[in-house]
Amino acid sequence: MIHSLFLINSSGDIFLEKHWKSVVSRSVCDYFFEAQERATEAENVPPVIPTPHHYLLSVYRHKIFFVAVIQTEVPPLFVIEFLHRVVDTFQDYFGVCSEPVIKDNVVVVYEVLEEMLDNGFPLATESNILKELIKPPTILRTVVNTITGSTNVGDQLPTGQLSVVPWRRTGVKYTNNEAYFDVIEEIDAIIDKSGSTITAEIQGVIDSCVKLTGMPDLTLSFMNPRLLDDVSFHPCVRFKRWESERILSFIPPDGNFRLLSYHVSAQNLVAIPVYVKHNISFRDSSSLGRFEITVGPKQTMGKTIEGVTVTSQMPKGVLNMSLTPSQGTHTFDPVTKMLSWDVGKINPQKLPSLKGTMSLQAGASKPDENPTINLQFKIQQLAISGLKVNRLDMYGEKYKPFKGIKYMTKAGKFQVRT
Amino acid sequence: MSAAPAYSEDKGGSAGPGEPEYGHDPASGGIFSSDYKRHDDLKEMLDTNKDSLKLEAMKRIVAMIARGKNASDLFPAVVKNVACKNIEVKKLVYVYLVRYAEEQQDLALLSISTFQRGLKDPNQLIRASALRVLSSIRVPIIVPIMMLAIKEAASDMSPYVRKTAAHAIPKLYSLDSDQKDQLIEVIEKLLADKTTLVAGSVVMAFEEVCPERIDLIHKNYRKLCNLLIDVEEWGQVVIISMLTRYARTQFLSPTQNESLLEENAEKAFYGSEEDEAKGAGSEETAAAALPARKPYVMDPDHRLLLRNTKPLLQSRSAAVVMAVAQLYFHLAPKAEVGVIAKALVRLLRSHSEVQYVVLQNVATMSIKRRGMFEPYLKSFYIRSTDPTQIKILKLEVLTNLANETNIPTVLREFQTYIRSMDKDFVAATIQAIGRCATNIGRVRDTCLNGLVQLLSNRDELVVAESVVVIKKLLQMQPAQHGEIIKHLAKLTDNIQVPMARASILWLIGEYCEHVPRIAPDVLRKMAKSFTAEEDIVKLQVINLAAKLYLTNSKQTKLLTQYVLSLAKYDQNYDIRDRARFTRQLIVPSEQGGALSRHAKKLFLAPKPAPVLESSFKDRDHFQLGSLSHLLNAKATGYQELPDWPEEAPDPSVRNVEVPEWTKCSNREKRKEKEKPFYSDSEGESGPTESADSDPESESESDSKSSSESGSGESSSESDNEDQDEDEEKGRGSESEQSEEDDKRKTKKKVPEGKGEASSSDEGSDSSSSSSESEMTSESEEEQLEPASWRRKTPPSSKSAPATKEISLLDLEDFTPPSVQPVSPPAIVSTSLAADLEGLTLTDSTLVPSLLSPVSGIGRQELLHRVAGEGLAVDYTFSRQPFSGDPHMVSVHIHFSNSSDTPIKGLHVGTPKLPAGISIQEFPEIESLAPGESATAVMGINFCDSTQAANFQLCTQTRQFYVSIQPPVGELMAPVFMSENEFKKEQGKLMGMNEITEKLMLPDTCRSDHIVVQKVTATANLGRVPCGTSDEYRFAGRTLTGGSLVLLTLDARPAGAAQLTVNSEKMVIGTMLVKDVIQALTQ
């Protein structure tokens, strides 16, 4: 299936290659570079590029292209999904996935890749198993290894690979047994010029961090499971319990994982927690334009909106902007024409605003599009859909774990057209 | 390899990745500048005795490989370390070896013996890794060794090793395709494997080696369907895509009666929208609604596939969701395909690469099945932050989804898109508007007006694109649009984009009759600027001139000649040719009259309007989700998705049974498989609920045979039986009844006795596993329990007829005493657990009471007298050592002849045995007179597994397929040892070899006597004396392997107890624990 993998940085250097079958010359990447050149922007490089003898499938994350080389028919999503899994694994191992980090840990990276695929077919992709096979580097371990000469490679045999709960490593022990669940909801919305909602939907995930000893069997139930319209589970969740009782029953993996992602049914009206008042105008005659935006809270259920940032891609004709914010800081990059305003908290008594003028290219006609405003914000302790976890129970182990549930609402792809 | 030296230099600083970390001299980073020095250095390090130096050297070498640098000249130095003790060094050497073995074949051979030794290691993980590396070394000379290793590994006890064997198959095949035949044999064998671990890998091997051998799948089809949900994600994708192809060859098209179904389709679709749980049933409801008119009945196996894949739409893996979606798209009846839309839309939240692939597929689907995605229209709205390629795909989908009702909203969206800064996207939007206008007549004028407005746009690209689209639209109804053409004509002064100019000229020429005044003027202007125009514009100028000359020669004759003269001396030969050609055609000359008379017809022939259609049309002849579909070109190795067959091939090939019993067993199996689904979806709340899965169907078929042998009033019994089934079905799935009805007719004709035979087969079929992992043992249980219960029934029917009546006939009302299973929730496969929880309960309630107290083993039926045509065969496990071979379990076989003719020449015929199992046949019984019975002893070496030994029992005239499956407790023999010895041995078998379970002893079995009796009845173990009163110890050895099996039961006050089994054979240990717990708690 997957023949080889090349890691390419944004300047076009191949800084790592791994082959699972016979070696494919790195000159195959020339086709990729060609496509990259044509695409102008990194995100526009087609994920699938046919070449005379191979097919190149790539994903672009953390400013690195992960290019897989395949030779025969294989579902493209299979490869793409796997590549993303590789990136996630690196992130899990090293905290960040960047070129210097991969270079510094090249041996671990290589060992991990070796275990993930056998002859191009995925073998061990669960991070719990991988970590049993190859221990992630930590500062302490590095020091210890230097002194004692021991290694990163786990000396135990990866029994997890044999078990029926392959996602959980065996023999987990903690002194503090804790289980944390973060219910994070994102609002995707498009708001039109006049402030009415064109489309809005809520997508949510439950990210978990479970550090429990032994083989706990957890059940998590909701007060209002009906809200969940479409769900997708981590493989540990027993699908049939969900079907019949709307209860999440699972033996969790050890550590961080995404338990569930869901979509809130479309029938429920989505509360939009913020509004943006905008007045952006270009005039044909003058080389100055007016720019004014104000952000205010709308339906927030009494919670404060935090971490608000506003970004907007200004039209090419805009040379510079002179703006004054009532709070926060703003920057305008005259090269990329990107305006960003870091607002911070919204105080309902004193709404933050950003006012000023834009200087336009002299002689050029006014741009025909007003810029779209992208919004980011966070609301703590609120799940905007109203989803509530009812209870979490543990079976199979005797101790009493510490349980924590946190709610948060964020802006997903939240756009205001102007 | 070809890495430029410059590369290594600029990376030189960070080159030795481990260096700062591992405290090595930073100067060594500089080593990379000089090849010789470095290699000497590394060789030295590799030759030392210090592991840390070796490790350091290997790390640097691997770093070199990772950067694509050549490290091949180190080969001899590295290979020496293949047997190194340090595990990380070893692993890195493997990495190196696999990378360079191909180039240094001779030297690579040095390492082979290490791996061969590894293949014999007692630890399964070491065996597996040895096989993995061995098979990855691409050296043709070792092909025979690899072949041997693969064959051996394919029958390994450990599923993990078998999985590795499956992985090795394509490797060997790519190395030497001559081995295909032998490899297919191995694949066939592995396909029969029942563990989830192996399934995905072997199907992968199948797809790479012999995708055309679809016949190998028949026997494993149902098993694969049932295992699917527990296979890991990557395997799921491969299996689903293979099954899609399989289903296309084996089943009839569900859409062949589409027209009939049409009216119901809408209803069913919305039904499934409202109630997901009923989704699967809705087709059947539809089917039930028109039984008379609709002769198509979906093959139960087809249904099985659809049903078992549906939950996977909830998978977190986009690849799995896509695989299921394509399966539904290609295989499901129209009414059911809708369920995939939601899941696909969900994937649009994922990474942009995933979106890209999904949108491509959605685009194809939305052409065929527009209704499916209509509710999700808004999810395809475009955001300014989407990458251009995503925007264009979304636009494609939106266009496909546009219809009479939603077109206003779609057009409003398009209006916003037109003002985007992304010009490629704007151009695509204009094209999309054009397509909407052609598809939906009602909005054509609106669109046209909108496009005309765009003509005054300041951006030239937008204008040009609009012109092109307008041209196409006008061609459909030119008459009414003289105004627009005039407007366009004015634009020729401003528009510079060649394509747009050419389009305008063509339009004016084509419809010059509608604009008789303007056309000559345009030609005049164009003639003026002719030399400065682009080639395609020039061609159109010639065209326009020719057309005008033909319609209005008075005004344009001179102009035309002028243009043609200019063209005659053009640099481009196309234009020169065209000019010459046109001149000959239109200008009447003396000799060539014939053509010029028809010139008007040639130039002004009515031209059909162009059809604006999606580039995704007809892409669905490629399997969706495939690479070929994405590229719209056949990729190497793409397997065509076959068309539905006209006639369904014989469905009986999928029965894992001799064809004679097809009908019956088919039905049985079907039933069995449907049950879990319904019971689960309704909630496995109560014990009666879950009881109606597998064991019941077992018990029913069983009661048939036993009731018959017991009382002889078979007909009434079986009627009862049928009723029972009906009730149950009514509860489970009302919608099925129409289908069931016609099935029943066929069923009733089948003699009752055959149900037995098929059910015994079913046991082995339904068990989803062989004998290794934890989960397996769980399902092994499923297989074991009903079987043993069945066998025990006949004797008990004499001793306790009342029990039998209740349990067999009124099973539904029968509630076992203890509801909550002591089930260890910890280590149970997610979905199987749910399935199985109920099973063990119901049967096991009966087991202990039926156990004969003396030997612990009752008689079990091998061949029923009806199936055997008068020959009835029972067997018992005698628990005596078998005289011929101590590794064999001795089985006493009792024959009795209840027919009225003597049976002659009884012997065992060609046994078909799983690997490792062997049979010592009993001496042939020459003749058995009517009414007489005889006993023979045979030995079976079960190879310490609970796989059934299948063999044929032959008489002179007939052959019967029978199988003996040992309960795990019979695979061992008691060992007598002292308490101290016991403790010592137990100390050696800790850790993974120890299995501990907690249980509650019911009041009824708290006395010593009963506990000991129950344990020894379950397993052939010897009691070990014990100092404390509430601890019980038993010991035994497995017969074949001779591994110790130690069992400790620690009973605490108030019934709490802890059961510990220590054994090297973990599987046997786990199964034993389960069996004993069951025996004790019931």
Side-chain angles (χ1 to χ4, degrees), chain A residues 14 26 73 114 188 251 369, chain B residues 7 132 349 419 628 826:
Chain A
I14 304 171
R26 57 166 65 191
E73 168 69 48
E114 179 76 21
D188 287 356
I251 297 169
E369 192 199 29
Chain B
Y7 183 70
R132 193 178 152 198
R349 286 272 301 167
R419 295 189 295 137
S628 305

Side-chain angles (χ1 to χ4, degrees), chain A residues 1 13-17 21-23 26 43-48 50 55 58-61 70-78 80-82 84-85 103-107 110-111 114-115 117-119 121-123 125-126 142 146 151-153 157-159 161-162 164 167 186 188-190 198-199 201 203 215 217 229-236 238-241 244-245 251 313-315 365-366 368-369 372 374 398 413 415 417, chain B residues 1-2 7 11 17 21-23 55 59 62-63 65-68 86-88 91-92 95 99 102 123-125 132 138 160 163 167 170-171 197 204 208 233-234 237-238 311 314-319 322 342-343 346 349 351 353-358 378-379 381-385 387-389 413 416-417 419-421 457-458 625-628 630-631 635-638 680-681 683-684 773 775 825-827 829-830 835 992 998:
Chain A
M1 287 208 149
D13 292 326
I14 304 171
F15 65 93
L16 189 119
E17 62 179 72
K21 298 183 180 183
S22 51
V23 180
R26 57 166 65 191
E43 54 187 9
N44 270 330
V45 177
V48 182
Y55 303 94
S58 62
V59 304
Y60 179 66
R61 278 178 73 180
I70 59 168
Q71 256 184 331
T72 53
E73 168 69 48
V74 55
L77 272 185
F78 183 99
I80 287 169
E81 181 80 28
F82 175 79
H84 281 301
R85 204 64 69 81
K103 278 182 173 166
D104 286 349
N105 295 293
V106 74
V107 177
Y110 222 70
E111 284 168 341
E114 179 76 21
E115 293 299 335
L117 284 182
D118 181 14
N119 194 37
F121 190 75
L123 189 66
T125 51
E126 284 298 334
T142 326
T146 327
T151 67
N152 275 332
V153 170
L157 293 160
T159 44
Q161 235 160 335
L162 306 172
V164 286
W167 53 83
E186 294 193 353
D188 287 356
I190 302 178
I198 294 180
T199 142
E201 48 190 22
Q203 314 271 354
M215 272 284 175
D217 195 337
D229 178 36
D230 184 34
V231 282
S232 76
F233 301 115
H234 189 273
C236 68
R238 299 187 178 103
F239 183 70
K240 286 179 175 160
R241 282 291 293 277
S244 56
E245 301 166 62
I251 297 169
Q313 172 79 50
M314 303 307 283
S365 51
K366 80 167 192 159
D368 31 48
E369 192 199 29
T372 316
N374 294 304
K398 287 230 177 73
K413 295 173 181 162
Q415 292 198 336
R417 292 176 179 165
Chain B
M1 292 181 325
S2 62
Y7 183 70
K11 302 289 179 288
E21 267 183 55
Y22 296 95
L55 183 60
K59 278 187 169 165
V62 166
I65 298 175
R67 284 198 312 274
N86 182 307
I87 194 156
E88 188 166 17
K91 275 200 174 176
L92 295 176
V95 169
R99 171 67 179 76
E102 207 167 5
N123 186 316
Q124 46 176 338
L125 291 153
R132 193 178 152 198
R138 288 172 293 275
Y160 185 65
K163 182 189 176 76
H167 279 257
K171 297 185 204 167
L197 211 52
M204 184 64 231
E208 280 199 21
E233 296 154 317
W234 313 106
V237 177
V238 178
Q314 250 71 52
S315 170
R316 69 168 168 172
S317 157
M322 190 65 232
K342 202 186 267 179
R346 185 184 66 227
R349 286 272 301 167
H351 301 283
E353 295 87 4
V354 175
Q355 285 183 42
Y356 178 79
V357 179
V358 171
K378 287 192 170 170
S379 308
Y381 280 6
I382 293 156
R383 290 159 206 280
S384 61
T385 41
T388 311
Q389 48 185 355
E413 263 307 290
T416 13
Y417 302 161
R419 295 189 295 137
S420 163
M421 278 175 267
N457 193 295
R458 233 173 290 105
S626 69
L627 186 61
S628 305
L630 190 93
L631 300 168
T636 335
Y638 173 70
D680 283 323
S681 61
E684 336 108 301
S773 67
M775 176 215 66
I827 358 169
S829 139
T830 42
D835 278 351
M992 263 168 47
K998 295 213 166 55

